Amino acid sequence: MITFLLVGLTIHVVFFLSIFDIYFTSPLVHGMTPQATPLAPPASRLVLVVADGLRADSLFTLLPNGSSRAPFLRSVMEERGTWGVSHTHVPTESRPGHVALIAGFYEDVSAVAKGWKENPVEFDSVFNETKHTWCWGSPDILPMFAKGASGDHVYTHTYPAEEEDFASTDASRLDTWVFTQVKSFFQSAKSNSSLRASLLEGENIFFLHLLGIDTNGHAHRPMSREYLENIGLVDSGVAELVSMVEDFFGHDGRTAYVFTSDHGMTNWGSHGAGHPSETLTPLVVWGAGVHNAHIVTEPQPFNDGYLQDWKLEHLRRVDVNQADIAPLMASLIGVPFPVNSVGVLPLLYLNNSDQFKAESMYTNAIQVLEQYKMKMAQKKETTLSFLFTPYHTPFHSPSSVYCQISLCRSLISSALEGLVYYHTYDRFFLGCSVVLGFVGWTSYVVLVILKTHAGLNRHPSLLQQVRVCICVTVVITVFLLIQRSPITYYIYCLLPVPVWYSVLKESGTLTDLVRSAPSLPLWKCFGYFVLVAFGIELLVVSFFHRAMLTVGLAVLSLWPFLSGLFGKAKFRSLSWCLGCLCLAAFPLMPVVGREPNIHLVTCAGLLTLFTSACYLWSSGQRTPLHLSDRLQFVTQMLHVAVCAYMPSLTHLSLQQKQGLPLLNQIISWTTLASSMLVPLLSSTRLFHRLLSIFLSLTATYLLLSTGSEALFPPVLSWLMFVWINIEQEAMLAQGVSSRQELSTIDFSANIDITKIRQLKLDDIRRSYFFVSMLGYLQHFDPASVYCFLTVFNPFIMGGLMMWKVIIPFIIVMCTFETIQVATQLSSRSIMNVNPTQSIYNSSSPQHFFFLVQDYGSWLDIGTSISHYVIVMSMTIFLMLLSVVTHILTSQRLILWRRSKMHFP
């Protein structure tokens, strides 16, 4: 069994990691020649201001009195600049947003996951192509552009990371720090001749990263006074900055300005997904080489209603993709376009001659085409000639730099489509290998179940199968060697070979099953299969429509009535029905987007205490508690009471801008650390250990809650305790076993092997219940971690969020193992079957001999579910097929839409 679990774990880990070679590969190619417009640029320098987390509507919407909260930028839009909306891409996070702005490409997910302050991949950027770039702002953003630049011409000035505190009394001071530093910089340049000489050179960029708006949005929400006042502070800071820059350079008219944001923010203070409030960001460009405000009288081709809401329908709006800003900045100051850029130069922003526009568009087209040619050459070099399928669209390079701009646009669109084609060239091949491996593993698991529990033991000759597997291995290896494939390709393609060898080795079991099929209760088996397949399809649909979980739980609530248990256990049946219906309410609640309601956290704590007291009272009526157990449960219940009050105390302190109290932080981290250790001190009796786990994990969950999601663990635990009892009633009704009180079962004691039963069709139903209970994702809110820390740290915050999601999983897993023990099914039967006496005989279950090991820790209860995982392998396989079908359909739809819209 240990070997079986390790092999299964290895296979699943390998194929899980395969997504980074199939879907999340880096889009970058290297070796291209930088392309620059040969004509003189309109600007010598550019000032880039990025207001992190600024939504488009927050900047453009007027106040009720008709005035603007950003009067300077509003005046620029109305008089001397061009404006529009910059459309960002998912994930709407700071790093990929800045990479798109400054480097012109959309960073892959794997690179985002590798760090914020390091560059996991080398890439070119506008900063890298300049003579000098000076940056001020966050230590999470600036270093990656300095490290990625060639030479030593990108200078960064950052504040300490500890300043990024969501509990700060005034997060706008981060922006004030940036403006102050820039002001000091230009003042010092007046007396520093070498610095002044560098500033007077062309091809310079000044980058201001303003994090205050984003920090205030996370801490107080985008509709808060702090967030909106921070916009006014930024506006006045930009006005002062422009005046200072113009004075320093003598109003020479050679400075261009770009004001934008990396991403927006939802009403509930988060970002990362694709909601319009996250993907629509403002873009205001003015200065040298930029069109002045263009008055329009005809309706503009935008149907989103924003022009009317923002009172801007009289000004020409020019929308761009976020990556388009990089070639725009490069064109304004005359530096080469970033070689990895997939942006398309937005010509409507440029105020220059037709020749300059044509030259710039031609340069943009050649730069994108160079990427396509390099990608094609790389793929052609590593693919056998008779297997290589080139991109079908022909390319016609412009015959001269004076070609029509429409021809250049068409060339860019085709080249970008070709880039996507070659970037995903191996996806089908690798996907088939992974699917083949998963199908093989699932088939092997099913055969092992049949062999173990149905006594189907045939041992066919293996000589021919070994030869076939060796030949297949050699062919695959030679094929990958010729194509010079990465080492990971060998793993994905060769791993299915031993898996399918194991399947062929057990093929005799399948033959026996076919021969014995007439003796099976076929209609009952078919009915179970149909119900389980339907239920799993319902779970698959719930990935796309969460409300389907409510439908599923509503159906599950009827189980006692349909199975006849209601007549034999009315109270438990009604409890099961009510518990399912209460739990069914949670999928109808939004995962994100709720306003915090800390009072509900306190209510959840009281509900946890009440249910725990009821459990203990009910158990004490049958089996008195030892003094040590009683003291531990009282201590844990007091701890839950403290944790229920802690979020309220913390959020009150943050509202009063007094910061995160140290005592609250100590209690929170101590609770988190002890939640995995305290249950080890409880009794080894099944009920006591399960209750201790529930109390310990619920205490941590309360600290990570901000609203109604805190009610989920007590409701879930109520249903779990009912599930355990009603499963015992089901076994008793079938006459399979006698009922034993949970408080008397000691999982560390030796189990009477004569009472261990065989697998039944009901075990598949239990496995389905288990999978159904795991189908919940709880409320996500950045404020959930404020009891632990408020200083920005994406990895610690992400880890805490993940632990919050895992806690309900652990409760369900522990309950599931409890059901195994309570219904007298050994989760280790496969490991401990005597191979010489494992012939199945329905009238003689004593032919099975089990050596049940001690359950030494609560962790064992949570993880010893291998038996049921094996039973569910076939049904999980159906789920995987359904999910893949949905994903492939969605992917085709996305590609079709892109082909229609000509978007990269």
Side-chain angles (χ1 to χ4, degrees):
M1 175 59 73
I2 297 300
T3 303
F4 179 83
L5 291 178
L6 290 177
V7 171
L9 179 63
T10 301
I11 290 175
H12 283 78
V13 168
V14 167
F15 287 140
F16 171 76
L17 295 177
S18 69
I19 65 173
F20 292 100
D21 279 313
I22 298 177
Y23 294 101
F24 297 150
T25 54
S26 175
L28 301 182
V29 288
H30 301 285
M32 293 80 67
T33 302
Q35 304 291 323
T37 305
L39 301 180
S44 299
R45 67 201 70 91
L46 182 140
V47 179
L48 172 63
V49 181
V50 177
D52 201 306
L54 177 60
R55 295 162 42 148
D57 60 338
S58 297
L59 179 69
F60 295 144
T61 302
L62 296 177
L63 297 173
N65 60 7
S67 62
S68 173
R69 61 175 54 93
F72 174 76
L73 290 173
R74 185 81 177 194
S75 66
V76 168
M77 295 162 54
E78 294 176 344
E79 300 171 5
R80 52 192 173 116
T82 302
W83 75 281
V85 173
S86 172
H87 297 263
T88 68
H89 281 213
V90 176
T92 47
E93 296 289 346
S94 292
R95 179 189 173 105
H98 282 87
V99 169
L101 284 170
I102 300 168
F105 71 93
Y106 302 103
E107 193 172 32
D108 61 293
V109 177
S110 62
V112 175
K114 292 178 181 176
W116 282 67
K117 299 180 181 179
E118 296 289 330
N119 268 337
V121 290
E122 294 182 1
F123 60 85
D124 191 21
S125 69
V126 178
F127 293 175
N128 187 47
E129 300 293 349
T130 61
K131 287 186 178 179
H132 304 282
T133 296
W134 291 271
C135 310
W136 297 267
S138 168
D140 297 316
I141 298 299
L142 306 189
M144 67 179 180
F145 293 103
K147 183 177 180 179
S150 58
D152 187 21
H153 64 276
V154 178
Y155 312 100
T156 61
H157 307 273
T158 64
Y159 39 75
E162 293 76 18
E163 294 294 321
E164 301 176 13
D165 190 349
F166 297 131
S168 172
T169 56
D170 184 14
S172 63
R173 73 175 189 275
L174 300 177
D175 299 342
T176 302
W177 183 94
V178 171
F179 287 123
T180 301
Q181 292 294 316
V182 175
K183 184 177 181 180
S184 301
F185 171 80
F186 278 101
Q187 288 178 346
S188 63
K190 295 179 181 179
S191 57
N192 188 327
S193 57
S194 60
L195 178 58
R196 181 179 177 84
S198 299
L199 291 176
L200 294 176
E201 295 180 16
E203 301 180 0
N204 288 339
I205 287 182
F206 306 95
F207 172 42
L208 284 70
H209 175 242
L210 307 176
L211 189 62
I213 293 177
D214 183 76
T215 305
N216 273 319
H218 286 309
H220 307 289
R221 306 292 188 268
M223 301 304 172
S224 64
R225 176 180 57 84
E226 291 83 358
Y227 183 92
L228 299 177
E229 287 183 352
N230 203 153
I231 297 176
L233 182 146
V234 167
D235 180 76
S236 60
V238 171
E240 185 178 358
L241 169 70
V242 171
S243 176
M244 178 176 55
V245 170
E246 292 297 330
D247 289 342
F248 183 88
F249 292 105
H251 298 272
D252 61 357
R254 298 282 296 173
T255 306
Y257 300 89
V258 176
F259 179 90
T260 187
S261 176
D262 54 345
H263 57 75
M265 186 171 292
T266 61
N267 290 338
W268 49 94
S270 67
H271 54 81
H275 192 273
S277 61
E278 301 168 86
T279 59
L280 302 182
T281 58
L283 175 63
V284 183
V285 187
W286 71 98
V290 181
H291 268 300
N292 291 331
H294 184 76
I295 305 298
V296 294
T297 56
E298 298 179 355
Q300 301 189 55
F302 299 100
N303 298 321
D304 48 27
Y306 294 135
L307 286 171
Q308 292 74 22
D309 295 342
W310 300 337
K311 310 300 182 186
L312 290 170
E313 59 269 24
H314 63 290
L315 296 175
R316 183 173 63 181
R317 167 182 163 186
V318 183
D319 283 15
V320 300
N321 286 325
Q322 193 172 46
D324 300 341
I325 298 176
L328 174 62
M329 294 190 295
S331 177
L332 286 173
I333 60 175
V335 299
F337 289 20
V339 295
N340 302 119
S341 172
V342 295
V344 181
L345 180 64
L347 292 180
L348 291 179
Y349 280 87
L350 294 179
N351 181 20
N352 214 312
S353 65
D354 292 339
Q355 180 184 5
F356 182 85
K357 293 179 180 180
E359 287 276 9
S360 299
M361 204 66 198
Y362 175 79
T363 302
N364 192 180
I366 296 301
Q367 171 260 319
V368 176
L369 187 60
E370 284 287 317
Q371 293 183 74
Y372 167 80
K373 291 179 178 179
M374 185 62 64
K375 193 74 173 181
M376 180 181 65
Q378 291 177 356
K379 189 54 61 180
K380 190 173 183 179
E381 185 180 0
T382 58
T383 306
L384 294 176
S385 58
F386 67 91
L387 293 176
F388 180 72
T389 306
Y391 184 57
H392 59 84
T393 301
F395 289 91
H396 302 288
S397 299
S399 57
S400 69
V401 298
Y402 301 104
C403 67
Q404 295 181 357
I405 290 178
S406 61
L407 181 59
C408 290
R409 290 186 183 276
S410 176
L411 175 62
I412 292 174
S413 177
S414 298
L416 291 176
E417 291 177 3
L419 271 175
V420 173
Y421 173 79
Y422 287 117
H423 181 62
T424 60
Y425 191 85
D426 292 332
R427 183 170 293 178
F428 179 76
F429 168 67
L430 293 176
C432 289
S433 298
V434 171
V435 170
L436 191 63
F438 266 125
V439 172
W441 174 252
T442 304
S443 303
Y444 174 70
V445 168
V446 172
L447 291 176
V448 167
I449 296 171
L450 293 174
K451 180 179 178 180
T452 304
H453 295 282
L456 303 175
N457 274 330
R458 289 294 185 93
H459 301 285
S461 174
L462 301 179
L463 182 59
Q464 184 177 358
Q465 299 164 2
V466 171
R467 290 175 179 174
V468 172
C469 291
I470 292 176
C471 292
V472 172
T473 301
V474 171
V475 170
I476 293 176
T477 303
V478 172
F479 174 76
L480 295 176
L481 281 172
I482 293 175
Q483 297 211 134
R484 288 179 285 180
S485 301
I487 188 64
T488 52
Y489 281 35
Y490 290 84
I491 299 175
Y492 307 143
C493 296
L494 292 177
L495 189 57
V497 176
V499 171
W500 277 103
Y501 168 75
S502 301
V503 173
L504 294 176
K505 189 173 65 173
E506 303 291 347
S507 59
T509 303
L510 186 59
T511 304
D512 278 5
L513 177 65
V514 173
R515 292 176 178 175
S516 61
S519 64
L520 297 175
L522 295 181
W523 283 109
K524 189 174 182 179
C525 293
F526 179 76
Y528 262 93
F529 176 80
V530 171
L531 289 175
V532 170
F534 173 77
I536 290 179
E537 182 62 27
L538 193 70
L539 289 177
V540 172
V541 176
S542 71
F543 282 106
F544 307 93
H545 306 283
R546 278 177 54 83
M548 297 308 296
L549 288 173
T550 299
V551 176
L553 279 170
V555 174
L556 291 185
S557 68
L558 302 177
W559 166 57
F561 305 98
L562 299 177
S563 62
L565 283 175
F566 178 73
K568 301 174 182 178
K570 290 185 173 60
F571 178 75
R572 289 187 173 88
S573 298
L574 291 174
S575 297
W576 167 266
C577 181
L578 185 59
C580 287
L581 294 178
C582 289
L583 199 66
F586 287 93
L588 299 177
M589 301 177 184
V591 179
V592 294
R594 297 196 301 261
E595 288 297 323
N597 190 338
I598 305 301
H599 297 298
L600 288 178
V601 180
T602 306
C603 293
L606 296 175
L607 180 60
T608 301
L609 295 176
F610 174 75
T611 55
S612 301
C614 291
Y615 297 152
L616 289 174
W617 178 82
S618 177
S619 174
Q621 294 295 310
R622 299 176 177 86
T623 307
L625 286 172
H626 296 297
L627 178 61
S628 58
D629 295 330
R630 191 180 297 112
L631 290 175
Q632 178 172 350
F633 285 129
V634 170
T635 303
Q636 286 190 273
M637 292 173 70
L638 290 175
H639 189 199
V640 168
V642 172
C643 292
Y645 179 65
M646 199 59 58
S648 177
L649 189 62
T650 300
H651 283 260
L652 178 62
S653 177
L654 297 182
Q655 286 180 354
Q656 296 176 350
K657 296 186 177 181
Q658 297 176 354
L660 175 60
L662 179 60
L663 178 61
N664 296 21
Q665 198 170 11
I666 292 174
I667 293 176
S668 300
W669 285 107
T670 303
T671 301
L672 177 65
S674 64
S675 63
M676 295 173 282
L677 301 176
V678 170
L680 296 174
L681 304 177
S682 66
S683 170
T684 54
R685 292 183 180 181
L686 201 60
F687 173 82
H688 299 159
R689 180 60 59 90
L690 193 61
L691 181 58
S692 180
I693 294 170
F694 162 62
L695 288 172
S696 184
L697 294 178
T698 301
T700 304
Y701 197 94
L702 292 173
L703 293 172
L704 292 168
S705 300
T706 60
S708 57
E709 82 276 12
L711 297 169
F712 185 74
V715 174
L716 178 65
S717 65
W718 169 30
L719 182 60
M720 292 298 99
F721 277 99
V722 173
W723 186 22
I724 295 170
N725 283 277
I726 203 170
E727 288 291 359
Q728 283 189 304
E729 294 291 346
M731 296 297 293
L732 184 63
Q734 296 173 7
V736 177
S737 65
S738 58
R739 177 177 177 81
Q740 188 177 3
E741 294 297 334
L742 296 179
S743 56
T744 64
I745 300 176
D746 193 330
F747 63 79
S748 66
N750 293 327
I751 298 177
D752 185 358
I753 62 174
T754 62
K755 294 183 179 180
I756 299 300
R757 62 179 179 82
Q758 297 271 334
L759 278 176
K760 293 182 172 294
L761 287 176
D762 273 351
D763 294 314
I764 298 180
R765 173 189 54 76
R766 295 185 183 98
S767 301
Y768 174 71
F769 284 4
F770 168 70
V771 175
S772 300
M773 299 302 177
L774 293 181
Y776 295 90
L777 291 177
Q778 293 307 304
H779 180 53
F780 173 83
D781 188 345
S784 299
V785 302
Y786 286 173
C787 288
F788 293 85
L789 78 165
T790 54
V791 176
F792 178 67
N793 189 316
F795 298 107
I796 294 180
M797 290 179 169
L800 290 171
M801 294 285 189
M802 185 61 66
W803 182 243
K804 178 182 178 181
V805 173
I806 290 174
I807 284 175
F809 282 49
I810 296 177
I811 294 175
V812 176
M813 290 167 68
C814 294
T815 302
F816 199 62
E817 175 61 19
T818 302
I819 290 174
Q820 291 187 36
V821 177
T823 58
Q824 298 177 344
L825 178 66
S826 171
S827 61
R828 311 199 172 185
S829 58
I830 293 180
M831 177 180 67
N832 300 300
V833 171
N834 187 328
T836 64
Q837 297 179 336
S838 60
I839 306 299
Y840 172 73
N841 186 327
S842 60
S843 62
S844 303
Q846 65 270 22
H847 284 181
F848 279 90
F849 290 89
F850 304 108
L851 179 61
V852 182
Q853 301 178 0
D854 292 346
Y855 292 85
S857 69
W858 75 274
L859 198 58
D860 203 22
I861 297 182
T863 57
S864 297
I865 59 169
S866 58
H867 204 113
Y868 280 88
V869 171
I870 294 170
V871 174
M872 279 301 297
S873 293
M874 179 57 75
T875 50
I876 290 176
F877 172 59
L878 294 175
M879 179 189 293
L880 290 174
L881 288 181
S882 301
V883 171
V884 169
T885 301
H886 283 290
I887 292 176
L888 289 178
T889 303
S890 302
Q891 185 68 16
R892 290 196 189 100
L893 181 60
I894 293 171
L895 293 176
W896 179 83
R897 287 174 177 171
R898 287 181 177 176
S899 66
K900 295 299 181 184
M901 295 186 294
H902 302 290
F903 281 174

